[in-house]
């Protein structure tokens, strides 16, 4: 399918045109064309080192890119990462959840979630606290609000990180392998919170190794091989009838039991 077929006539919230990224002599992203519609869940899969995380990090300016064009909700990112008002706007409208939780250890769970809305959006403490409590309830961790991150399990910390990202009322959520640092028994609770988010219509781009989850929640799966989009389509097509030999080879390795 071509990229525009996924848009259903709507303006995409994310568009990448011929994006190239180099780390020195290493060509990490090669002519990436990708568009994501509002409300769409796009899951990005591929081998370690294929460029998945770099792609996600370019979208909110955490990584510079050298050629091409990225637009997020009407805001343009330019090559070489010039610090622009557009980049600042994108960072207030795009939530991100990382492999590591990146919580402030000296702040309570509640204060971790209220900090950015108060500092960046200028909310008062009452409104920020009300929102934080609602979000902690939403990710099923409201009973931990007074604790500090070190008192929580990894799965609980990642759910706090999710609530913190949602507190900024993002138009788009990016996930960079959000379960890869978790013990196996804690992965499910984070994926459950993400499933609920998908059901509620949040626009999401998710880099993950959890293939069952990808098949279940994705509207579209994008397979990246050595910095290029080798295949994309609905999960049933990519997983059950991949067109590209490299996709078939990758899936045969990762889906082995």
């Amino acid at each position: 399918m071509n990229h525009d077929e996924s848009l259903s006539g709507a303006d995409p919230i994310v568009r990448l045109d011929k994006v190239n990224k180099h780390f020195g002599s290493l060509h990490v992203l090669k002519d990436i064309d990708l568009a994501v519609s509002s409300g769409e869940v796009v899951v990005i899969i591929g081998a370690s080192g294929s460029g998945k995380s770099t792609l996600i990090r370019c979208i909110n300016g955490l990584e510079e890119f050298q050629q091409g064009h990225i637009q997020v909700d009407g805001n343009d990112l330019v090559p070489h990462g010039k610090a622009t008002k557009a980049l600042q706007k994108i960072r207030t409208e795009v939530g991100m959840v990382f492999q590591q939780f990146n919580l402030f250890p000296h702040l309570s769970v509640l204060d971790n979630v209220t900090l950015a809305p108060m500092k960046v959006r200028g909310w008062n403490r009452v409104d920020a606290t009300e929102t934080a409590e609602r979000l902690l309830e939403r990710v099923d961790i409201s009973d931990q609000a007074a604790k500090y991150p070190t008192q929580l399990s990894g799965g609980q910390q990642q759910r706090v990180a999710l609530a913190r990202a949602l507190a900024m009322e993002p138009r788009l959520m990016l996930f960079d392998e959000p379960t890869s640092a978790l013990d196996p028994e804690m992965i499910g609770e984070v994926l459950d919170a993400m499933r609920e988010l998908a059901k509620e219509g949040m626009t999401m781009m998710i880099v993950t190794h959890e293939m069952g989850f990808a098949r279940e929640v994705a509207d579209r799966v994008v397979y990246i091989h050595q910095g290029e989009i080798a295949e994309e389509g609905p999960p049933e097509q990519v997983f059950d009838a991949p067109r590209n030999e490299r996709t078939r080879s990758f899936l045969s390795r990762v889906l082995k039991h």
Side-chain angles (χ1 to χ4, degrees), residues 6-255:
S6 66
L7 301 181
S8 309
D11 284 337
I13 191 169
V14 179
R15 186 184 286 281
L16 290 82
D17 293 310
K18 297 287 181 286
V19 171
N20 284 266
K21 163 72 181 172
H22 302 263
F23 285 117
S25 61
L26 192 61
H27 197 173
V28 184
L29 297 176
K30 304 168 186 173
D31 286 337
I32 296 288
D33 290 327
L34 185 63
V36 179
S37 300
S38 182
E40 191 178 16
V41 178
V42 174
V43 176
I44 302 167
I45 63 172
S48 295
S50 60
K52 309 182 301 296
S53 293
T54 301
L55 171 62
I56 285 280
R57 292 169 67 88
C58 283
I59 290 170
N60 65 351
L62 288 174
E63 292 285 358
E64 295 181 7
F65 58 100
Q66 282 76 39
Q67 293 98 33
H69 179 235
I70 297 176
Q71 188 176 71
V72 182
D73 201 20
N75 299 290
D76 294 310
L77 276 176
V78 295
H80 303 292
K82 302 289 186 296
T84 62
K85 285 185 179 174
L87 178 56
Q88 293 169 5
K89 188 89 163 46
I90 286 168
R91 286 187 174 162
T92 63
E93 294 184 0
V94 177
M96 183 146 183
V97 177
F98 301 87
Q99 295 177 39
Q100 304 300 331
F101 322 122
N102 296 345
L103 299 175
F104 292 110
H106 64 289
L107 296 179
S108 70
V109 163
L110 186 67
D111 287 343
N112 263 283
V113 180
T114 59
L115 182 66
M118 290 169 65
K119 291 270 189 193
V120 178
R121 293 212 183 274
W123 292 9
N124 63 49
R125 182 171 292 280
V126 172
D127 289 344
T129 299
E130 189 177 296
T131 297
E133 288 171 344
R134 176 173 52 80
L135 290 170
L136 290 171
E137 179 82 34
R138 186 169 162 187
V139 297
D140 199 23
I141 202 168
S142 55
D143 57 335
Q144 309 292 327
K147 290 188 177 177
Y148 289 84
T150 53
Q151 297 173 287
L152 305 182
S153 71
Q156 289 172 324
Q157 289 188 63
Q158 193 61 298
R159 283 184 284 153
V160 174
L162 177 54
R164 179 182 60 181
L166 292 173
M168 288 292 286
E169 299 184 336
R171 299 259 292 132
L172 167 70
M173 283 289 294
L174 306 176
F175 294 87
D176 185 7
E177 299 190 23
T179 59
S180 65
L182 300 178
D183 293 332
E185 64 272 17
M186 294 173 187
I187 290 172
E189 63 193 55
V190 174
L191 296 181
D192 283 346
M194 293 170 66
R195 280 187 190 95
E196 286 304 310
L197 209 52
K199 284 180 193 166
E200 291 165 15
M202 174 63 76
T203 311
M204 301 162 72
M205 297 181 71
I206 305 168
V207 172
T208 186
H209 290 293
E210 300 289 335
M211 296 299 149
F213 174 73
R215 180 192 286 269
E216 179 189 345
V217 304
D219 296 306
R220 185 160 37 122
V221 174
V222 175
Y223 169 60
I224 294 187
H225 177 77
Q226 295 180 358
E228 297 178 289
I229 295 179
E231 183 152 1
E232 64 174 302
E236 57 274 14
Q237 180 247 299
V238 173
F239 285 112
D240 298 335
R243 298 180 181 132
N244 189 301
E245 176 55 41
R246 291 174 299 187
T247 316
R248 284 195 288 275
S249 174
F250 169 74
L251 290 171
S252 72
R253 291 195 307 274
V254 300
L255 295 177

